[in-house]
Amino acid sequence: MPKRKILMKGNEAYGEAAVRAGCRFYFGYPITPQTEVAEYLSRRLPEVGGVFLQAESETASVNMLYGAAAAGARVMTSTSGLGLALMQEGISYLAGAELPAVIVNTMRGGPGIGNIAPAQADYRQAVKGGGNGDYRTIVLAPTSVPEIFPVMELAFDLADRYRNPVIVLSDGMIGQMMEPVEIEEELPPLDLPEKPWATTGTMGRRPKNVIKTDYLEPEELERHNLRLAEKYAQIEAEEQRWKEFALEDAELVLVAFGTMARLAQAAAEVLRSRGIAAGVLAPITLYPFPTRRIRELADSPGVRSFLTVEMSLGQLVEDVRLAVEGRKPVSFFGRTGGIVPTLDEIVTAAEDVAAERGVRSR
């Protein structure tokens, strides 16, 4: 199929990628710096027979996802950190009812109202979950505008495969930047999975499908939660994804996601030009976290130390330390409040860690 290259803003790419992944229902509430997602889909979805609906709040949006997902539709919403906080109750409901939905969170500075500058301080809120109960949410993190397309396709596929909500964790930098993307001239044909569990009406041909989150008997709820736990274990075993740069001989491993992964790679190139063998691991799945690969690196005799680089006061670093299990030292560098670390700051921090941990200059 013929392709064309166009310049596209990240927030617009989230909308177009969702349409190409088969999403036909969007429910959302505007909040900077992600409002362009809704703006784009308000024009685009009617063109493909879809439905765009601006809800009265984030709480309403996530509960509209619940209803449309229960009817078997591919559905999504988008928001920023404050809105994601308001959606947490609904996300718990989606997970408990095993309903597939995609939620794009374009992170901004916090806590509270904070500001509209880029940040990554919603890591815990997305990865650990802010709702009640024993549940997990799959979390994906693109590093560029072009990467939004395969990540969104993966998000919808994983949501359907595991009947689970998926959060795509973006930041204000990726949402607002423009980059060239190459897309097919026409929409690809849709080959979406059957959803025999959906509440689409029985016409007297089968027993009713029931979707619920209330299990009043403790033994019944425990069986439900244990079955969910088995599903999460399968996700952790089969869906860990990441990108690597120059790790084959790295002594210092930089770990970063989203915008910071790109800066970390640029920093690794500078460090290598100065004789420091640095490499980068960029998680694509923040849950399931790429523990397996990080543990392999921690067990490698050549790797001397890890350094996480974040736009927060240190949230990703907690999962890196859990994965490393004390085998190697793990350091942290980050800026907060909507400040994006500069390349020079990251290189200086990495050189300090390299000197402290005995990383050899070549």
Side-chain angles (χ1 to χ4, degrees):
M1 188 176 291
K3 293 186 176 181
R4 60 190 169 110
K5 183 178 282 189
I6 59 175
L7 196 61
M8 185 168 272
K9 181 181 281 191
N11 283 337
E12 296 172 343
Y14 282 115
E16 183 62 30
V19 168
R20 288 169 183 268
C23 174
R24 294 295 181 268
F25 293 86
Y26 174 95
F27 312 102
Y29 188 77
I31 179 172
T32 305
Q34 66 78 43
T35 301
E36 292 93 343
V37 180
E39 182 183 12
Y40 184 87
L41 286 173
S42 70
R43 298 192 308 269
R44 188 72 172 106
L45 276 173
E47 294 176 354
V48 296
V51 172
F52 169 89
L53 197 155
Q54 179 178 320
E56 65 268 36
S57 68
E58 288 87 352
T59 305
S61 302
V62 74
N63 285 295
M64 290 176 184
L65 287 190
Y66 188 106
R74 279 199 160 181
V75 298
M76 73 169 285
T77 188
S78 58
T79 188
S80 191
L82 295 77
L84 188 69
L86 293 171
M87 291 181 181
Q88 290 293 351
E89 180 189 43
I91 294 171
S92 172
Y93 274 60
L94 289 166
E98 296 188 88
L99 291 175
V102 173
I103 301 142
V104 174
N105 178 26
T106 301
M107 293 179 283
R108 57 187 263 181
I113 292 176
N115 59 35
I116 60 172
Q120 293 182 324
D122 293 347
Y123 179 90
R124 290 195 194 102
Q125 183 180 203
V127 174
K128 308 303 180 184
N132 63 302
D134 288 322
Y135 78 94
R136 300 305 303 257
T137 306
I138 298 169
V139 183
L140 309 179
T143 63
S144 68
V145 177
E147 202 172 289
I148 286 171
F149 282 84
V151 165
M152 286 296 284
E153 182 178 3
L154 177 64
F156 282 101
D157 287 347
L158 291 178
D160 279 345
R161 187 179 309 160
Y162 293 102
R163 289 186 58 184
N164 207 73
V166 175
I167 294 175
V168 178
L169 200 56
S170 184
D171 60 63
M173 181 72 79
I174 292 177
Q176 295 294 323
M177 74 166 61
M178 298 187 77
E179 290 188 284
V181 298
E182 193 172 67
I183 59 176
E184 294 174 340
E185 291 277 2
E186 299 179 4
L187 290 181
L190 296 178
D191 183 19
L192 304 182
E194 296 289 329
K195 297 182 178 178
W197 49 263
T199 53
T200 54
T202 67
M203 300 290 285
R205 293 170 298 189
R206 57 169 171 75
K208 294 179 180 177
N209 289 335
V210 177
I211 292 173
K212 65 174 188 175
T213 62
D214 58 322
Y215 296 88
L216 299 183
E217 294 299 327
E219 292 79 8
E220 186 186 13
L221 180 56
E222 185 182 56
R223 285 195 297 274
H224 177 65
N225 285 341
L226 290 174
R227 192 173 57 76
L228 292 181
E230 289 178 1
K231 178 172 72 175
Y232 303 145
Q234 181 185 357
I235 292 171
E236 291 175 10
E238 298 180 2
E239 305 298 347
Q240 294 182 28
R241 289 172 167 81
W242 64 90
K243 295 197 308 183
E244 297 186 2
F245 171 75
L247 286 181
E248 57 279 357
D249 63 344
E251 296 187 17
L252 175 62
V253 178
L254 307 181
V255 185
F257 71 96
T259 294
M260 298 316 301
R262 301 174 68 167
L263 278 167
Q265 179 170 334
E269 292 171 349
V270 173
L271 291 165
R272 283 187 170 266
S273 72
R274 297 178 183 179
I276 297 174
V280 177
L281 186 142
I284 296 173
T285 54
L286 296 172
Y287 177 81
F289 197 66
T291 301
R292 185 168 56 244
R293 179 56 176 144
I294 289 179
R295 199 156 291 163
E296 287 175 357
L297 291 167
D299 284 334
S300 169
V303 172
R304 292 176 177 267
S305 187
F306 292 80
L307 171 66
T308 71
V309 184
E310 309 179 43
M311 286 191 286
S312 74
L313 286 178
Q315 301 191 18
L316 171 72
V317 66
E318 296 170 354
D319 280 337
V320 175
R321 285 177 175 143
L322 286 171
V324 170
E325 288 187 318
R327 291 171 168 87
K328 298 288 167 59
V330 179
S331 302
F332 159 77
F333 174 75
R335 300 293 301 271
T336 185
I339 295 175
V340 181
T342 66
L343 178 60
D344 286 344
E345 288 175 331
I346 297 170
V347 169
T348 298
E351 287 178 329
D352 290 344
V353 170
E356 181 181 355
R357 306 302 185 190
V359 176
R360 294 166 297 184
S361 293
R362 300 178 176 178

